[in-house]
Amino acid sequence: MLVVQLLKSVKPCGVSQFEDMDPLSGEPFDPLGASSDKMPRTMNSRRPQQPRRGYAQTSTTNNHWETNNNTSEPLPLQSGRALAATFLESVIGISSGRPIVHDAFEDLQQDPALDERTVCLHDELAYLLLEGVIGERGGDQDDFDQDTELGHIYRMKLRRLLAWPASKYRVEHLLSSLPSSFLQEHALLLGKLGRHEDALRILYSDLHSLEMALEYCDARHAQRLKMETERTINASVDSRRGESHCSGGDGSVKSGVHLNNHATDCVYLPLVRVALESDPERGVSAAIQVLALRRGAVDSSALRLLPENVPVSAVARPFLIPAIVDSESQVRRLKVAAALLRARYVELKRNLTEAQIKSQAMLHTTPALRALNVGDLLHSSRPFLAKPSRTAAPGFPDVILSKHFFARHLIIQANITNISKAIEGRTIGDVAFVVAESSDDSIIPTVQVPLKTLPPNATGSVWCAMIASPGRLDETAFLTCELRYTILAVDATTGAPLNFGGGGGPTGSGMDYVEELQDIEIRPSEFVNGARF
């Protein structure tokens, strides 16, 4: 009654049909109740009626597994049942593309009463569709197993609901209400209960259709891939947002759909077992056919299910040889794809490096220095060559220093050129000029601006900003300076760095170096505007 009460309050929807006569039985329309014990009685009391005029009869004994969500035709809104079913499909989201993995409703606080009403809505929709299938079947005994065109639409919508992963109907109650001739629907409900082998026995043994059994497994395989893809996307989005919508405090997945304990099992193995158990003679060839047709998705453990007397030659041509060829082709494709992605990554990283070098080339373009609000530049010293205080490592780059004086700041610019021949044109990373110690506490280092990567034969600027108090500087101050950098490891094939900066040493990404430079002298007179040195 939930749907009827809701629709009655919205008269423009044309819901007066709920209060009219049932066009099939000629009796007042009696919608299905929400209680679980009423719906089975409603279905059992329903009598098959003559098919509505204008709809041709179509056979339901096909050999195709028709549950595709995108192929269900809309119901003609010519009866209260059709209108109610269409409305419920929209409410529960099956006709509007509701996500099945990360559903926003799953984040709401649990409400048992609301959950029960949701289950009742799904139950009501299932029984409405089932009633539509039965009501549209022929009245004669000879054509009672035939669906009209409208009945076929109801059947496709029923199968879509039964196979929908987000559905919440009561499986056991609906299973007890299904006519025994609804074999595909029985298989869907058994699959919903996780009894996949029983479902496949209906399709393979009762309906004698290996094709339908394969399509059943294909649907499970496609649904699993879709769920894994959606979970990956949602996890990526949540990690970027710094949230944890997909996981609870115990690490469990919060979702409307959960995989069972055997979620990682191959979905085609139950079909192989059913084929071998149901018909030992025909089952072996059917099992080998399953392996051959789905060799890209079948686990190698399926071979252990075959009888020991099956010769290798019976499996080699249809399964083993094509599987090996496919595997080798896949390896080659992945290698090509990896090389292309690597080249693209190197190109993007090179562009990023060039942009960073350009942004730090000048004093007024470096974001970290602009944020200091150092004021007007008093003057800059002439560039001079920085020399190591002791013997430098073979990969030591050229370092040219410049001092920039402000009223209350001193900024040292180090132009680094990676031209050392000893490192064979390798990239250096995490380049930083550091003032380790000052002989006078009137000059205090505050900000360092390093360079993430510096390619071979490239020149980039690193900076070190210090707070200065010229009025307290009575004599020359000496700054103990260091140059820190990492010689990055390279890919032997492409010559590109294995890791673009960050973390060397024992991780294998490169070797870290700290070179002590000769002290830099800072005189009080250098803070005078217009001074020249």
Side-chain angles (χ1 to χ4, degrees):
M1 298 298 294
L2 297 175
V3 179
V4 177
Q5 295 173 2
L6 181 59
L7 291 179
K8 279 184 178 181
S9 64
V10 190
K11 291 297 182 183
C13 292
V15 295
S16 60
Q17 298 185 56
F18 286 96
E19 303 171 3
D20 294 341
M21 306 295 287
D22 189 334
L24 297 178
S25 63
E27 299 176 356
F29 181 76
D30 184 16
L32 295 173
S35 63
S36 60
D37 57 343
K38 182 178 179 181
M39 283 184 280
R41 292 201 303 269
T42 304
M43 289 308 308
N44 293 332
S45 63
R46 185 69 181 173
R47 297 302 182 200
Q49 304 294 331
Q50 291 291 344
R52 190 170 304 175
R53 289 177 295 179
Y55 291 100
Q57 294 183 357
T58 57
S59 174
T60 61
T61 57
N62 55 72
N63 291 323
H64 297 284
W65 186 252
E66 302 175 271
T67 58
N68 193 334
N69 291 358
N70 300 322
T71 59
S72 182
E73 301 179 20
L75 284 169
L77 303 182
Q78 299 175 356
S79 67
R81 179 200 298 139
L83 183 58
T86 302
F87 174 77
L88 282 173
E89 285 184 327
S90 177
V91 168
I92 68 176
I94 190 173
S95 62
S96 57
R98 174 181 171 185
I100 63 172
V101 176
H102 182 68
D103 190 348
F105 289 100
E106 299 296 334
D107 295 331
L108 299 177
Q109 185 177 2
Q110 294 295 324
D111 185 351
L114 179 60
D115 293 341
E116 178 65 21
R117 293 177 63 186
T118 302
V119 171
C120 289
L121 288 177
H122 286 243
D123 281 343
E124 190 163 357
L125 175 59
Y127 282 100
L128 278 173
L129 297 175
L130 180 56
E131 186 183 47
V133 177
I134 298 177
E136 294 296 331
R137 305 188 91 178
D140 297 335
Q141 186 67 26
D142 294 338
D143 61 355
F144 182 66
D145 61 343
Q146 304 293 317
D147 283 343
T148 64
E149 182 179 346
L150 180 58
H152 181 72
I153 297 176
Y154 273 112
R155 186 181 291 273
M156 292 300 100
K157 287 184 174 292
L158 176 61
R159 290 178 182 175
R160 180 177 69 170
L161 176 64
L162 299 184
W164 193 39
S167 58
K168 297 182 180 180
Y169 52 82
R170 296 177 178 90
V171 181
E172 295 83 357
H173 293 167
L174 187 58
L175 190 61
S176 63
S177 302
L178 276 179
S180 58
S181 60
F182 284 44
L183 294 180
Q184 290 193 37
E185 289 75 12
H186 273 279
L188 282 171
L189 291 175
L190 291 173
K192 197 76 173 180
L193 294 173
R195 297 165 55 183
H196 299 294
E197 291 195 15
D198 293 336
L200 289 170
R201 286 189 183 93
I202 293 177
L203 301 176
Y204 179 78
S205 301
D206 297 343
L207 292 175
H208 305 288
S209 176
L210 178 62
E211 181 181 359
M212 292 176 62
L214 271 175
E215 291 176 358
Y216 175 89
C217 297
D218 292 341
R220 288 187 60 205
H221 182 68
Q223 190 61 53
R224 178 178 297 179
L225 293 179
K226 182 178 180 180
M227 293 171 63
E228 291 176 354
T229 301
E230 291 186 10
R231 282 196 177 94
T232 302
I233 294 175
N234 292 328
S236 176
V237 172
D238 291 342
S239 64
R240 289 196 298 267
R241 293 178 179 176
E243 301 172 351
S244 55
H245 296 302
C246 292
S247 299
D250 58 352
S252 59
V253 178
K254 296 177 65 176
S255 168
V257 179
H258 300 270
L259 297 178
N260 54 34
N261 295 332
H262 303 285
T264 58
D265 293 344
C266 176
V267 298
Y268 297 95
L269 294 185
L271 177 55
V272 175
R273 285 193 289 265
V274 168
L276 294 173
E277 294 171 0
S278 60
D279 188 351
E281 297 181 1
R282 190 172 62 96
V284 173
S285 60
I288 295 177
Q289 187 177 357
V290 172
L291 299 182
L293 293 176
R294 301 296 184 268
R295 58 178 175 269
V298 174
D299 191 89
S300 59
S301 59
L303 292 174
R304 292 193 290 268
L305 299 177
L306 298 177
E308 296 181 356
N309 59 354
V310 175
V312 177
S313 58
V315 186
R317 183 179 296 274
F319 176 67
L320 293 179
I321 296 177
I324 294 174
V325 172
D326 290 345
S327 299
E328 293 179 351
S329 300
Q330 182 70 2
V331 170
R332 289 193 294 269
R333 287 194 296 268
L334 291 177
K335 286 183 178 180
V336 173
L340 293 175
L341 291 175
R342 179 67 181 176
R344 178 59 176 164
Y345 172 72
V346 171
E347 179 184 359
L348 292 175
K349 197 65 182 181
R350 183 181 296 109
N351 295 338
L352 179 62
T353 300
E354 293 175 355
Q356 183 187 18
I357 292 175
K358 184 177 180 180
S359 68
Q360 293 184 195
M362 303 295 293
L363 181 65
H364 63 279
T365 61
T366 306
L369 299 180
R370 293 173 59 184
L372 295 177
N373 296 322
V374 295
D376 296 333
L377 177 66
L378 300 179
H379 76 93
S380 299
S381 68
R382 294 178 179 178
F384 59 95
L385 179 65
K387 298 180 181 180
S389 59
R390 59 177 64 91
T391 303
F396 184 77
D398 287 354
V399 183
I400 304 296
L401 302 179
S402 298
K403 297 179 289 185
H404 305 282
F405 294 90
F406 299 84
R408 294 190 175 276
H409 289 84
L410 168 63
I411 298 178
I412 298 180
Q413 176 184 5
N415 285 332
I416 313 296
T417 304
N418 183 13
I419 58 173
S420 177
K421 296 181 180 180
I423 58 176
E424 300 177 351
R426 290 162 65 178
T427 298
I428 60 176
D430 291 337
V431 186
F433 178 82
V434 180
V435 175
E437 185 179 357
S438 173
S439 64
D440 197 307
D441 58 4
S442 61
I443 300 178
I444 303 175
T446 56
V447 176
Q448 298 174 13
V449 184
L451 198 60
K452 193 67 176 176
T453 55
L454 187 62
N457 303 318
T459 300
S461 297
V462 295
W463 307 78
C464 181
M466 292 161 280
I467 296 177
S469 301
R472 298 169 48 198
L473 186 60
D474 298 330
E475 55 186 14
T476 300
F478 295 92
L479 305 180
T480 302
C481 304
E482 296 175 348
L483 182 69
R484 302 176 182 178
Y485 60 95
T486 301
I487 300 178
L488 302 180
V490 297
D491 190 325
T493 303
T494 63
L498 295 175
N499 181 20
F500 288 89
T507 61
S509 60
M511 183 63 67
D512 295 334
Y513 292 90
V514 178
E515 301 286 356
E516 185 175 346
L517 306 178
Q518 293 181 352
D519 293 348
I520 299 177
E521 297 181 359
I522 305 298
R523 301 181 180 87
S525 57
E526 291 181 294
F527 285 93
V528 178
N529 191 5
R532 293 289 183 268
F533 294 92

